[in-house]
Amino acid sequence: MKNSRNWIGGEWIEPTAGECAVINPSNTKEQVGVLHLSDSSQVIQAEQAAREAYGPWSGLSGPVRAGHLERMADLLQSKSGDVANLASMEMGKPIAEMRGEVSRGVNLLRYYAAEGLRANGAVIPSSEQNVLQFTRKVSLGVAGIITPWNFPVAIPIWKIAPALICGNTVVWKPAELASLTATRLAELFEEAGLPPGVINLVIGKGSQIGKAMLEQTPLDAVSFTGSTSTGLGIAQICAKRNIKYQTEMGGKNAAVVLNDADLETAVPLIVSGAFRSAGQKCTATSRIIVESGIYDSFIKKLSYALSNIKLAPALDSEAYLGPVASASQYETVMSYVHMASEQADILAQGPPLSGDQDGYYIRPIVAAGVGAGHPLIQEEIFGPVATVLEAADFEEAVALCNQSIYGLSASLFTQNLSHAHRFLDEARAGMVRVNQETAGVEYQSPFGGMKLSSSHTREQGQAALDFFTELKTCAISYR
Ligand code: NAD
C-alpha cells in the first residue's frame, strides 16, 4: 500500500489535514494507497523552502543544473516500469501507453538538460561605438506548477524540467488522482541528488491548497494545466497580481475526413485519437467531420475498427483503452452516454469489458444525428465518446471544425495538397495536423491552443524556455 507524502525543503512530511483511500479504477475493490491531504500552512512552507533554495539554484551554472536533470532522467529511466505500473493502477491508463508516457518524461528531462549548455541570449548591434548590447534570459523565481491527472508523468515533467533548467525553483501541486505517482517521482528526484527545496511537492485538493498557493504565497509565476473553468479563475488571480502565467485548458478537437482520404490511414488514427486513454486527453478526437461522398464507407470501416479494440483493466498489456479515472469521471461521461442514447443515433460501439472486474469501464461509442450546436458536439466530454457530423464540402468541414469555443488541436485527412495547405492556414487551433491524429504532438514541438484552450502561451520545446524566463536587455560601454 502506497502513501502520498509532501516533499518540502528536502524533508518528507505526511500531512494531516485529512486522508482518503486511493481506489484502483480498473478494480474498485482494490485499494492502491492512501492520499494524505495538506492544508494551506504546508503550501506556505513549500513556497518558503522554494524561495530559500532559489538563490543557490539560480546561481549554479547551466551545465551544473543540466547534470541534475540528466541524473533525474537516468533514475526515471531505471525505474520506468515501476512508475508506469503505479500510475496505471492509480488513474487507469493502459500500461502500454503509460510506459510510453514515462519514456516521454525521460526524453523531456534529457531535452531540457541539454538546454543548460545552449546560448540563452543574443548580441544586438549597438548604434554607438564600443558598446556591447545583448539580451539574457533570466529566471523568474519560484514557479507554481499545477497539474492534471490525465498525464501524471509527462505533464509535470514538461513543466518542471524547463522551469528548473532556467534557474527557477518549484512548488508542485499535482491532481489528487495522481498523487501517489507524484510522490514516487519526487522520491526519484531526491535519489537523483536534487538539492533540498528546488522542487517542493504538496498534495491536496485544488479548491483548497491550489487556491492557497495562488492567494497566500508570493509565487513569481504559475504554470497550470487542467479544465477551462479552473484555468480561467487562475488566470484572473495571476493577472491581478501581474505575475506571469500559462493556462493550458480544455479541447473539443475535430478530425476532418475528405472524400479523397486514404481510409486505411484515417480510420486507425481517428480511433486511436478518440479512444486511447479512454478519450481522456485534452487533444483527443471528439468530433469527426466527414465529407458526404465518403460518409457511408467511412462509418462502415470505423464501426469495424471499433469492434476490434479491447476494453480491459489498465495492467492488461493488450488493453486498447482502460477505465475512466474516477467515480466522478464515470458519472460525468455516463451522463453524455445517456444523452447520446436518448438524443442521437449510436453509429458504432466498442466491445464490452473483457473480464468481470468492477471498475469505471465505459464502452466506447460513436454518435451522430445531432446538430452542430448540440452539447455532444460543443462540450468537452473527456471520455470514450466521439460524435460525427457530415459536411457537404471542404469549406463546410472547416467551418464546422472552427465552430467551437476551443482551439487546441485539429486534423485533416486528405490526399489533396491544396486542401492540406488551406487547412493548415484556416483551422483555428494551436496544433494543426494533416494525415495525423489530433493527439501525439512531439515533445520538442510547442504545445498549446487557441481560443479558450489556452492563455495563448505554449509549452514544450523552446517555447517553454520563453515562459520560464524573462528577457533582460543589457548594454555596456567600454570607451
Ligand atoms: P482540473 O481543472 O479539475 O484540475 C487541474 C489541477 O488544478 C489539479 O491539480 C487540481 O487540483 C487543481 N485545481 C482545481 N481547482 C483549483 C483552484 N481553484 N485553484 C488552483 N488549483 C486548482 O482538471 P483535471 O480534471 O485534473 O484535468 C482534466 C482537464 O484538463 C480537461 O479539461 C483537459 O482538457 C485538461 N487538460 C488540458 C491539457 C492541455 O495541455 N491543454 C492537457 C491535459 C489536460
Side-chain angles (χ1 to χ4, degrees), residues 122-154:
V123 175
I124 300 157
S126 168
S127 38
E128 292 177 58
Q129 261 194 337
N130 296 334
V131 169
L132 173 64
Q133 181 169 249
F134 61 98
T135 57
R136 282 168 57 204
K137 288 180 181 172
V138 297
S139 55
L140 302 172
V142 177
I145 305 278
I146 303 177
T147 51
W149 45 265
N150 65 332
F151 282 89
V153 173

Side-chain angles (χ1 to χ4, degrees), residues 372-384:
H374 194 276
L376 288 167
I377 304 285
Q378 291 301 329
E379 294 174 11
E380 185 183 44
I381 298 173
F382 221 56

Side-chain angles (χ1 to χ4, degrees), residues 199-211:
I199 297 177
N200 301 277
L201 171 68
V202 193
I203 306 281
K205 290 192 191 305
S207 53
Q208 292 166 6
I209 64 158
K211 202 162 173 286

Side-chain angles (χ1 to χ4, degrees), residues 146-151 155 158 173-176 204-207 210-211 214 224-228 230-231 234 248-251 281-282 380 382 408 447 453 459:
I146 303 177
T147 51
W149 45 265
N150 65 332
F151 282 89
I155 291 182
W158 87 41
K173 199 220 86 60
E176 297 90 301
K205 290 192 191 305
S207 53
K211 202 162 173 286
L214 298 160
F224 162 88
T225 297
S227 60
T228 296
T230 309
I234 288 175
E248 286 306 327
M249 306 181 282
K281 291 182 189 171
C282 50
E380 185 183 44
F382 221 56
L408 192 55
F447 185 103
S453 289
E459 303 198 87

Side-chain angles (χ1 to χ4, degrees), residues 43-89:
V43 180
I44 292 168
Q45 231 181 310
E47 198 280 338
Q48 285 167 349
R51 197 155 295 281
E52 246 170 66
Y54 174 64
W57 178 254
S58 59
L60 294 177
S61 68
V64 171
R65 286 200 294 265
H68 282 287
L69 266 66
E70 278 293 348
R71 282 189 290 281
M72 288 156 73
D74 292 344
L75 248 289
L76 181 58
Q77 189 162 28
S78 71
K79 301 286 188 234
S80 57
D82 161 28
V83 173
N85 258 40
L86 177 62
S88 286
M89 287 173 72

Side-chain angles (χ1 to χ4, degrees), residues 30-31 33 111 124 147 225 276 332 346 349 426 445-446:
E30 185 185 355
Q31 184 176 347
Y111 176 89
I124 300 157
T147 51
T225 297
R276 283 200 189 274
T332 310
I346 307 297
Q349 202 170 18
E426 293 171 29
S445 297

Side-chain angles (χ1 to χ4, degrees), residues 124-448:
I124 300 157
S126 168
S127 38
E128 292 177 58
Q129 261 194 337
N130 296 334
V131 169
L132 173 64
Q133 181 169 249
F134 61 98
T135 57
R136 282 168 57 204
K137 288 180 181 172
V138 297
S139 55
L140 302 172
V142 177
I145 305 278
I146 303 177
T147 51
W149 45 265
N150 65 332
F151 282 89
V153 173
I155 291 182
I157 291 180
W158 87 41
K159 294 176 185 291
I160 290 172
L164 295 190
I165 202 66
C166 293
N168 305 282
T169 54
V170 160
V171 178
W172 173 26
K173 199 220 86 60
E176 297 90 301
L177 283 178
S179 298
L180 298 180
T181 308
T183 304
R184 186 72 192 109
L185 286 177
E187 286 168 0
L188 295 179
F189 297 157
E190 179 190 38
E191 216 180 308
L194 196 68
V198 170
I199 297 177
N200 301 277
L201 171 68
V202 193
I203 306 281
K205 290 192 191 305
S207 53
Q208 292 166 6
I209 64 158
K211 202 162 173 286
M213 209 166 134
L214 298 160
E215 291 176 350
Q216 296 179 37
T217 73
L219 288 175
D220 299 298
V222 174
S223 178
F224 162 88
T225 297
S227 60
T228 296
S229 58
T230 309
L232 293 178
I234 288 175
Q236 278 188 9
I237 298 171
C238 294
K240 220 170 182 177
R241 292 182 47 192
N242 195 31
I243 59 172
K244 211 170 175 186
Y245 67 89
Q246 62 179 181
T247 51
E248 286 306 327
M249 306 181 282
K252 189 72 186 173
N253 314 291
V256 175
V257 189
L258 296 184
N259 287 342
D260 66 353
D262 169 13
L263 294 187
E264 301 307 316
T265 305
V267 169
L269 291 177
I270 287 173
V271 171
S272 173
F275 300 114
R276 283 200 189 274
S277 290
Q280 302 169 114
K281 291 182 189 171
C282 50
T283 48
T285 306
S286 54
R287 295 178 295 150
I288 308 168
I289 300 166
V290 188
E291 202 177 358
S292 302
I294 205 170
Y295 191 86
D296 291 339
S297 54
F298 172 78
I299 298 297
K300 207 166 148 199
K301 283 190 192 311
L302 182 70
S303 308
Y304 179 73
L306 197 57
S307 68
N308 280 304
I309 64 177
K310 186 174 179 186
L311 171 63
L315 289 183
D316 180 333
S317 59
E318 287 174 7
Y320 192 91
L321 72 161
V324 294
S326 65
S328 78
Q329 263 295 105
Y330 182 83
E331 273 171 34
T332 310
V333 178
M334 282 309 290
S335 71
Y336 285 102
V337 172
H338 293 138
M339 186 189 284
S341 40
E342 282 160 15
Q343 299 174 25
D345 308 319
I346 307 297
L347 294 184
Q349 202 170 18
L353 175 70
S354 58
D356 58 359
Q357 269 163 334
D358 290 330
Y360 304 125
Y361 297 100
I362 298 179
R363 280 178 80 170
I365 57 167
V366 177
V370 292
H374 194 276
L376 288 167
I377 304 285
Q378 291 301 329
E379 294 174 11
E380 185 183 44
I381 298 173
F382 221 56
V385 177
T387 41
V388 181
L389 289 170
E390 193 172 341
D393 53 24
F394 172 78
E395 282 71 22
E396 192 191 3
V398 175
L400 286 169
C401 172
N402 287 340
Q403 193 182 328
S404 170
I405 58 169
Y406 298 110
L408 192 55
S409 173
S411 281
L412 176 75
F413 291 90
T414 187
Q415 300 298 312
N416 179 310
L417 191 60
S418 160
H419 284 150
H421 276 284
R422 281 188 57 197
F423 190 72
L424 295 174
D425 289 343
E426 293 171 29
R428 294 285 300 153
M431 295 169 288
V432 188
R433 298 152 73 77
V434 175
N435 297 324
Q436 289 199 304
E437 72 174 85
T438 54
V441 173
E442 295 180 36
Y443 65 85
Q444 66 277 32
S445 297
F447 185 103

